[in-house]
Amino acid sequence: MESFSLILAIVVVTALAFDFTNGFHDTANAMATTISTGALKPKVAVAMSAVLNLVGAFLSVEVANTISKGLVDEKGIRPEVIFAALVGAILWNLLTWLVGLPSSSSHALMGGLIGAAIASAGFGAVHGDVLVTKVLLPAVAAPVVAGVAAMIATRLSYTIGGQSDGKAAQKGHRAGQIASAGLVSLAHGTNDAQKTMGVITLALIAGGAIAPGSNPPTWVILSAGLAIALGTYIGGWRIIRTMGKGLTDLQPQQGFAAQTSAATAILASSHLGFSLSTTHVVSGSVMGAGLGRKGGVVRWSTATRMTVAWVLTLPAAALVGAGAETVTGLGDWGTALVAVFLVAASAAIWKLSRRQVVDHTNVNEPAEPAGVVTQAIAAVAPPPAAQPAEAPATPAAEDLAATIPAPAPEPAPSTAPAVPPAATV
């Protein structure tokens, strides 16, 4: 029984660690557009988002119930299975954060849970109908709906705002963007914090600590809310840069339209119990806002890499979760081995991230850090043909401007004397 209590405690701590990574991984969803347009200073933005994430965690438990009661069979799940699932989700979150790609923490968690459950109890442990109706279909529909809504809202905003005073309209859109960013943060707490609540509740049910079918206890809600709020305050600056500057260039009108559309979609999904990816919704709304402004552009090379990462998230996390479950099935030493691997891999990823630091001081720089795009393409997808002309265009031009003028004067004097002899002959 002591050993069992220890593994249950390990699962709870690991779940809260995932919730922390979810917070800094998804900070961009709420605040990237607000930071990129200058509506709020970076540190103020993430602090506001953290507080509202915590508040949102207490507003609903529908998504938590989808995770704890619907996705997998509670009867065939052991605490070790949930631990293995969390390992897959955390490692995927850290890898995509390292290369600055906004992937879905929600799908990473569910992918890890599905893979670990199948490795432990077979395919029958996963409820396919719930997976399709409450996970896969919303993953496809939500970004499209949010993108179309953001595009329409952007066009309306420019149409109406064009008839008003420029400075007054600009101030109004900035104020509206701050309010809508707060709404997205609140919605993120109601949706993403609940996923960790659901996992911890599932672990408590599997361990016999609470009865099957129970709602998350109050201490679970509070701890999950605090963990995601702390992660949000740390700020996932790499992904904020990609979302705010790498996908499209946003003006305050577009930021307001994108965030309002995203918040509406997320809150509606939370009410219905859909385990929605806020990353998918916000990315879709940002692209819609980019297309909604006349002359606006979307960097489809970045959008393509993001889309490929979305497709890979669930199966990649599932494979890691299944592998971790296979090792934990060997006994206590197997569980310890997986725990050591998780800590070592996380430390290695963090150390790699220190080679090129992105924080609140340089998050709004237009050019992506050297090496990040290359690593992302190599890890996710081959670059589209148009990609080299987009992101690296400015650095390349600067490099040429710095190197060509120096040797240029040398050919000029050498060719000058060559012309007169030719003329005299």
Side-chain angles (χ1 to χ4, degrees), residues 132-226:
V132 172
T133 58
K134 291 202 171 185
V135 177
L136 297 182
L137 289 181
V140 175
V144 175
V145 172
V148 172
M151 183 172 64
I152 295 173
T154 299
R155 292 182 178 178
L156 287 174
S157 178
Y158 276 101
T159 301
I160 298 171
Q163 303 173 359
S164 59
D165 178 68
K167 291 184 178 179
Q170 203 77 340
K171 288 182 180 179
H173 282 114
R174 286 181 184 274
Q177 192 177 2
I178 293 172
S180 60
L183 192 59
V184 173
S185 297
L186 192 69
H188 186 256
T190 65
N191 201 282
D192 278 44
Q194 288 189 54
K195 290 156 190 165
T196 300
M197 298 178 205
V199 168
I200 295 176
T201 303
L202 183 60
L204 295 174
I205 292 172
I210 61 175
S214 298
N215 287 332
T218 303
W219 70 266
V220 172
I221 298 174
L222 178 61
S223 59
L226 288 172

Side-chain angles (χ1 to χ4, degrees), residues 21-423:
T21 67
N22 191 352
F24 74 72
H25 196 279
D26 289 1
T27 308
N29 296 340
M31 290 299 169
T33 59
T34 305
I35 293 171
S36 68
T37 60
L40 281 176
K41 293 182 179 179
K43 295 297 287 184
V44 175
V46 296
M48 185 182 86
S49 182
V51 172
L52 291 173
N53 264 275
L54 177 59
V55 174
F58 287 88
L59 296 183
S60 172
V61 293
E62 291 301 320
V63 175
N65 289 336
T66 296
I67 300 293
S68 64
K69 301 177 184 178
L71 187 58
V72 296
D73 188 358
E74 300 171 349
K75 299 177 182 178
I77 298 299
R78 299 173 295 111
E80 291 86 351
V81 175
I82 300 171
F83 173 64
L86 290 166
V87 170
I90 290 173
L91 290 179
W92 182 259
N93 268 359
L94 293 176
L95 284 172
T96 49
W97 163 76
L98 178 64
V99 297
L101 281 177
S103 69
S104 171
S105 297
S106 307
H107 286 192
L109 175 61
M110 288 179 285
L113 188 59
I114 290 168
I118 291 174
S120 174
F123 287 93
V126 178
H127 298 156
D129 55 337
V130 176
L131 175 63
V132 172
T133 58
K134 291 202 171 185
V135 177
L136 297 182
L137 289 181
V140 175
V144 175
V145 172
V148 172
M151 183 172 64
I152 295 173
T154 299
R155 292 182 178 178
L156 287 174
S157 178
Y158 276 101
T159 301
I160 298 171
Q163 303 173 359
S164 59
D165 178 68
K167 291 184 178 179
Q170 203 77 340
K171 288 182 180 179
H173 282 114
R174 286 181 184 274
Q177 192 177 2
I178 293 172
S180 60
L183 192 59
V184 173
S185 297
L186 192 69
H188 186 256
T190 65
N191 201 282
D192 278 44
Q194 288 189 54
K195 290 156 190 165
T196 300
M197 298 178 205
V199 168
I200 295 176
T201 303
L202 183 60
L204 295 174
I205 292 172
I210 61 175
S214 298
N215 287 332
T218 303
W219 70 266
V220 172
I221 298 174
L222 178 61
S223 59
L226 288 172
I228 199 170
L230 180 59
T232 300
Y233 182 71
I234 294 297
W237 303 111
R238 293 171 181 272
I239 300 176
I240 290 176
R241 171 184 278 183
T242 300
M243 191 81 82
K245 292 292 185 181
L247 194 55
T248 186
D249 295 318
L250 294 177
Q251 296 180 357
Q253 295 94 321
Q254 294 168 283
F256 172 66
Q259 289 173 314
T260 303
S261 303
T264 303
I266 295 168
L267 287 172
S269 298
S270 297
H271 177 70
L272 296 173
F274 292 156
S275 186
L276 193 68
S277 168
T278 55
T279 301
H280 293 183
V281 175
V282 175
S283 299
S285 66
V286 168
M287 285 188 279
L291 295 173
R293 175 170 64 91
K294 186 177 181 180
V297 295
V298 172
R299 296 183 180 90
W300 294 111
S301 58
T302 302
T304 300
R305 295 198 305 274
M306 287 168 50
T307 303
V308 174
W310 294 352
V311 173
L312 292 177
T313 295
L314 198 147
L319 286 174
V320 177
E325 163 56 21
T326 302
V327 177
T328 60
L330 299 176
D332 291 343
W333 69 270
T335 303
L337 184 63
V338 172
V340 170
F341 171 74
L342 174 62
V343 173
S346 301
I349 292 171
W350 181 84
K351 188 173 181 180
L352 286 173
S353 73
R354 297 300 90 192
R355 293 182 177 180
Q356 195 121 40
V357 177
V358 181
D359 57 20
H360 67 282
T361 62
N362 61 0
V363 67
N364 273 337
E365 291 181 2
E368 294 180 87
V372 172
V373 175
T374 303
Q375 293 175 28
I377 295 171
V380 179
Q387 194 273 339
E390 293 177 6
T394 302
E398 293 175 352
D399 291 342
L400 289 174
T403 55
I404 290 178
E410 296 181 4
S414 63
T415 55
V419 175

